[in-house]
Amino acid sequence: MQGVAVLALLVMLAIFVFIIALTGLRIVSPYEKGVVERLGRYQRTAQPGLTLIIPFLDTMRKVDMREQVVDVQPQEVITKDNVVVTVDAIIYYEATDPVKLTYNVADFYSAATKLAQTNLRNVIGETELDQALTSRDIINAKLREVLDDATDKWGVRIVRVEIKRIDPPIDVTEAMHRQMKAEREKRAQILESEGLRQARILQAEGEAEAVRRVADAERYKREVEAAGQSNAITTVFSAIRNANPDDKLIAIQYLDALKAISNGTASKVFLPYEATGVLGALGGIKELFKEQPVTTPSPNGNRPTPPTV
């Protein structure tokens, strides 16, 4: 009977030890790290996987090491040129040291939000409205650098900062819209004027090219005609020179020329002074005809008889 009681006691003790051992087992996820404390003091950092701690003596806090987001609430900020704008931003961060994140800051989310709002006012306050609207990347880089330096002691790295929106007042927005409309109309007028100028230039160049081609064609025509006339004159001159003409032939050609002149519509014809010399050759032409015998057919035969003078 006593042996059974001892056995039961041992079984109960084993079950108790097993339960105590189970309470000391902790599972750390792959994206987490565990901060183990013993009697209120930091003991070690548990890596992802199965971790054993001493029950009732050790406690473990899990820290999420993934990238997380802090949404900064919209706030009104005054720019360098005294324009009140509403700015909204988002902060992306990730934990780098779970021990610092656990012991150096009580509420990181609230602390990061307040820190971002303060530095956002400082950065926007040093920037004019036009630059703030067009240079968000520069503002994002400045904010990320400032926040990263400030949160380094908290064991956090600021991955990036994004400005979601920058809203100017309604009157400023309307003025900007009018300015943008005027700029677009101005660019449209400039483009239209440039198009007209290019069209006129192309038209003028086309007309100049047409005139040049017409002039080239006319010049070519005159060159061809001049070459033909030159060849004709050369041929006639060569023929006359080879025929060895005398004054009688020249007189006959001169009479043909006078005949062509007299057929014109002019009522008066002026003869050059040298024409008297040619007319003097007409007597020689008369003598030429006298020297040529005139033959008349004979009734008695084919032999011609000389005429009687």
Side-chain angles (χ1 to χ4, degrees):
M1 190 68 182
Q2 186 177 2
V4 175
V6 172
L7 181 60
L9 182 61
L10 291 176
V11 171
M12 292 177 62
L13 182 61
I15 293 174
F16 178 76
V17 172
F18 180 74
I19 293 174
I20 295 299
L22 287 179
T23 58
L25 293 177
R26 296 290 186 273
I27 297 176
V28 181
S29 300
Y31 54 85
E32 295 177 333
K33 286 186 178 181
V35 178
V36 179
E37 298 176 348
R38 180 170 297 171
L39 299 177
R41 297 183 61 182
Y42 170 74
Q43 180 66 25
R44 60 187 175 88
T45 300
Q47 300 299 323
L50 184 62
T51 300
L52 180 63
I53 63 174
I54 300 175
F56 309 110
L57 296 179
D58 294 345
T59 57
M60 186 175 68
R61 300 181 185 181
K62 295 181 180 180
V63 178
D64 195 336
M65 305 298 292
R66 293 176 295 182
E67 183 175 316
Q68 301 185 53
V69 179
V70 175
D71 190 2
V72 181
Q73 296 299 322
Q75 61 175 338
E76 292 185 349
V77 180
I78 301 176
T79 61
K80 186 177 181 180
D81 48 355
N82 297 324
V83 179
V84 179
V85 295
T86 302
V87 183
D88 189 7
I90 297 178
I91 301 174
Y92 296 87
Y93 74 94
E94 63 180 4
T96 57
D97 191 338
V99 178
K100 291 182 179 181
L101 183 58
T102 302
Y103 297 114
N104 291 353
V105 59
D107 186 358
F108 174 78
Y109 189 92
S110 177
T113 301
K114 300 300 181 183
L115 183 63
Q117 289 178 344
T118 302
N119 287 278
L120 191 60
R121 284 194 294 267
N122 295 335
V123 174
I124 297 295
E126 298 175 354
T127 308
E128 295 183 354
L129 177 60
D130 293 339
Q131 185 179 2
L133 294 175
T134 58
S135 304
R136 293 192 180 186
D137 293 339
I138 298 176
I139 298 175
N140 294 337
K142 289 182 179 180
L143 280 174
R144 194 203 70 80
E145 183 179 358
V146 172
L147 294 177
D148 192 32
D149 292 339
T151 57
D152 183 63
K153 63 180 180 179
W154 296 342
V156 174
R157 183 178 72 89
I158 302 299
V159 179
R160 62 184 181 276
V161 178
E162 298 290 342
I163 301 295
K164 291 198 300 184
R165 59 189 179 93
I166 300 178
D167 296 336
I170 297 178
D171 55 345
V172 176
T173 304
E174 292 178 353
M176 293 173 61
H177 288 168
R178 291 194 298 269
Q179 181 181 1
M180 293 173 60
K181 183 178 179 181
E183 289 292 335
R184 292 192 184 98
E185 292 178 352
K186 179 181 177 181
R187 287 197 296 267
Q189 292 177 358
I190 292 175
L191 292 176
E192 184 178 359
S193 301
E194 184 67 20
L196 292 176
R197 187 178 70 87
Q198 291 294 335
R200 291 177 180 176
I201 291 175
L202 293 177
Q203 183 180 2
E205 291 178 352
E207 293 177 354
E209 181 67 18
V211 171
R212 186 183 65 81
R213 293 191 177 185
V214 170
D216 291 342
E218 186 67 22
R219 178 178 57 82
Y220 179 74
K221 176 182 177 182
R222 292 181 180 180
E223 289 178 355
V224 172
E225 291 178 351
Q229 293 177 0
S230 176
N231 293 332
I233 293 173
T234 302
T235 303
V236 172
F237 179 76
S238 299
I240 294 174
R241 186 178 61 181
N242 294 332
N244 194 14
D246 54 4
D247 294 340
K248 298 175 182 179
L249 178 60
I250 294 175
I252 293 174
Q253 293 293 329
Y254 192 83
L255 290 176
D256 292 338
L258 290 177
K259 181 180 179 181
I261 293 173
S262 64
N263 290 332
T265 59
S267 60
K268 296 180 181 180
V269 177
F270 294 92
L271 296 178
Y273 176 77
E274 291 79 1
T276 56
V278 178
L279 293 176
L282 295 178
I285 297 174
K286 179 179 179 182
E287 296 297 330
L288 176 64
F289 284 107
K290 288 181 178 181
E291 293 175 359
Q292 296 292 333
V294 180
T295 59
T296 57
S298 175
N300 298 325
N302 295 329
R303 186 174 181 179
T305 58
T308 60
V309 180

